[in-house]
Amino acid sequence: MAYYRSVGAIPPKRHTQHRNADGALYYEELMGEEGFSSDSSLLYHAGVPSAIVDATPWELPDQSTTENRPLLPRHLKLHDLFGDNEWKAADVVTGRRLVLGNADVRISYVVAGEASPLYRNAVGDECVYVESGTATVETVFGSLEARQGDYVLLPRATTHRWVPTGSEPLRCYAIEANSHIAPPKRYLSRYGQLLEHAPYCERDLHGPVGPLTVAAGDVEVLVKHRGSRGITGTRYVVPTHPFDVVGWDGCLYSYTFNVADFEPITGRVHQPPPVHQVFEGQNFVICNFVPRKVDYHPLSIPVPYYHSNVDSDEIMFYCGGNYEARKGSGITQGSISLHPGGHSHGPQPAAVEKSIGAEFFDELAVMVDTFRPMELGEGAVASEDPAYAWTWAGRGPSA
């Protein structure tokens, strides 16, 4: 985030004394990216942010992956991963099931009904898409109210927790980077302002309300971090609650963006996926396909052409409406299609002719394109529809 915010009580000058009503100093913490060379914020804590009184291993949910071999397009039915009542005891952090992953990004799915533990991801930024339900996301920067269609952006090492609100299950699609996640550079001026051709603007980005302060001692915080053999976890106990920030300012903080605020870019003929891009990370992009007017050339074919995006794996999460190109494939809301690099993919054959003459597509999908192959997590293995790869031909391997 390059947009400055100030919340709560801060001193007139940075790195100077800031005291409470009793004269005690607050503890200043700089939270910054890229070694003091990129966005940062200054937070003022009542307690010492470095203090810990215990540390033990935290065993993460299964993070193992297997390669996509033989190389196949795959259909994953994420709604099958959680039973009718299983979600009631799950939380957004510890209940995640790894679906796909590589060295740059991991995608998990969770259906939750319980508040999560305090948690920070020290591996990279998180972008969590709320498929349905509502939640309060409590962070060191303040509180975010998350609702259906929100992307919740959480910078690396932001201590936070998810608190579901309402009676419905909270369904979340978690994209965890090994890097930072931000608006595409082509949308930004050299000073970081969103430009006129960008499909959203600063008014669509909603920062935290705060400050949020909690008085408590000896509090557990789960930390996901890098290890010598991959991603691992540690359980800290800290002497004062991390939500002890009386004020902060800067350009690095958590925020939400709702997919309904994305203004689609359309044309006379079919537009390529980059016009749907919303965020980017290192070696991957995030796009969304939203309800929109479609191609208006008199001879246009509104569904995508077949394409071999040879540098990427395409992961499409179908989260609303009726995705025209996949009609006849078995895909429905809550499905993922994985179309790997090396496989030429496109619409189901019957969908091409049926789309001609359409003026509007009522569809909603979140797409992640990666520049390294994605491997299958345990959630993918548990939810795969084995018939999907053969749906373009109408038949599979001989018995």
Side-chain angles (χ1 to χ4, degrees):
M1 287 291 290
Y3 322 118
Y4 175 84
R5 286 178 65 92
S6 175
V7 174
I10 60 174
K13 293 284 288 184
R14 61 183 176 179
H15 315 323
T16 61
Q17 297 175 35
H18 186 27
R19 298 180 182 273
N20 66 18
D22 296 326
L25 276 171
Y26 291 117
Y27 299 93
E28 183 184 59
E29 175 195 12
L30 178 95
M31 183 172 174
E33 299 176 343
E34 300 179 14
F36 302 93
S37 300
S38 188
D39 294 347
S40 66
S41 287
L42 288 167
L43 299 87
Y44 295 88
H45 293 264
V48 178
S50 301
I52 57 175
V53 297
D54 196 11
T56 54
W58 168 37
E59 298 301 327
L60 301 178
D62 187 354
Q63 300 293 295
S64 62
T65 58
T66 57
E67 64 182 352
N68 182 11
R69 183 167 181 255
L71 187 71
L72 286 174
R74 298 179 187 265
H75 171 203
L76 313 176
K77 302 165 74 174
L78 300 191
H79 285 189
D80 289 354
L81 291 176
F82 292 83
D84 290 342
N85 293 308
E86 191 176 353
W87 60 273
K88 293 181 178 178
D91 69 76
V92 170
V93 172
T94 66
R96 295 179 189 181
R97 297 188 65 175
L98 181 65
V99 179
L100 299 164
N102 64 18
D104 302 308
V105 62
R106 291 160 305 286
I107 296 174
S108 299
Y109 188 71
V110 62
V111 187
E114 288 290 324
S116 77
L118 289 166
Y119 163 70
R120 73 174 72 122
N121 185 339
V123 178
D125 291 3
E126 293 193 358
C127 174
V128 181
Y129 179 80
V130 179
E131 180 191 0
S132 63
T134 58
T136 299
V137 186
E138 301 173 346
T139 83
V140 289
F141 300 105
S143 295
L144 300 166
E145 296 304 319
R147 59 190 172 94
Q148 182 174 334
D150 272 348
Y151 293 99
V152 180
L153 277 295
L154 296 154
R156 175 186 279 159
T158 298
T159 304
H160 67 280
R161 73 173 191 144
W162 288 78
V163 183
T165 55
S167 59
E168 296 302 312
L170 177 63
R171 296 182 176 272
C172 292
Y173 184 72
I175 302 166
E176 301 179 27
N178 279 18
S179 61
H180 302 300
I181 299 174
K185 292 182 178 66
R186 70 180 184 277
Y187 292 173
L188 302 172
S189 76
R190 58 177 173 156
Y191 299 113
Q193 182 179 8
L194 283 160
L195 296 169
E196 281 295 301
H197 69 268
Y200 56 94
C201 74
E202 290 83 357
R203 298 180 192 182
D204 301 318
L205 309 179
H206 304 286
V209 175
L212 173 65
T213 55
V214 177
D218 287 357
V219 178
E220 287 191 351
V221 180
L222 302 182
V223 182
K224 184 180 292 182
H225 57 92
R226 300 179 185 92
S228 61
R229 291 178 296 223
I231 295 171
T232 188
T234 293
R235 187 186 306 271
Y236 280 155
V237 177
V238 298
T240 56
H241 200 289
F243 298 162
D244 64 347
V245 175
V246 298
W248 64 271
D249 76 331
C251 296
L252 181 66
Y253 50 87
S254 51
Y255 66 96
T256 65
F257 169 71
N258 194 274
V259 71
D261 291 322
F262 185 91
E263 301 301 332
I265 298 169
T266 62
R268 293 185 75 220
V269 295
H270 194 80
Q271 299 296 295
V275 304
H276 304 286
Q277 188 177 352
V278 60
F279 299 114
E280 65 184 9
Q282 183 176 330
N283 290 329
F284 72 94
V285 300
I286 302 172
C287 303
N288 42 221
F289 293 80
V290 301
R292 65 196 182 279
K293 180 179 175 63
V294 291
D295 321 343
Y296 42 89
H297 187 285
L299 297 178
S300 67
I301 300 175
V303 295
Y305 36 78
Y306 294 92
H307 48 288
S308 295
N309 189 0
V310 296
D311 294 318
S312 299
D313 279 12
E314 177 201 273
I315 303 98
M316 192 81 77
F317 175 51
Y318 304 89
C319 44
N322 191 352
Y323 200 78
E324 296 293 329
R326 297 273 77 84
K327 284 184 175 178
S329 65
I331 281 176
T332 186
Q333 181 162 341
S335 291
I336 276 183
S337 62
L338 167 62
H339 296 146
H343 173 262
S344 179
H345 58 276
Q348 306 306 126
V352 178
E353 193 73 45
K354 287 181 180 178
S355 75
I356 294 173
E359 297 183 353
F360 187 84
F361 280 177
D362 182 18
E363 61 190 22
L364 186 61
V366 174
M367 183 178 81
V368 177
D369 268 13
T370 67
F371 296 104
R372 285 199 254 196
M374 289 294 258
E375 296 194 335
L376 309 177
E378 62 83 20
V381 175
S383 63
E384 184 173 13
D385 168 12
Y388 177 71
W390 327 117
T391 55
W392 286 271
R395 61 185 179 90
S398 301

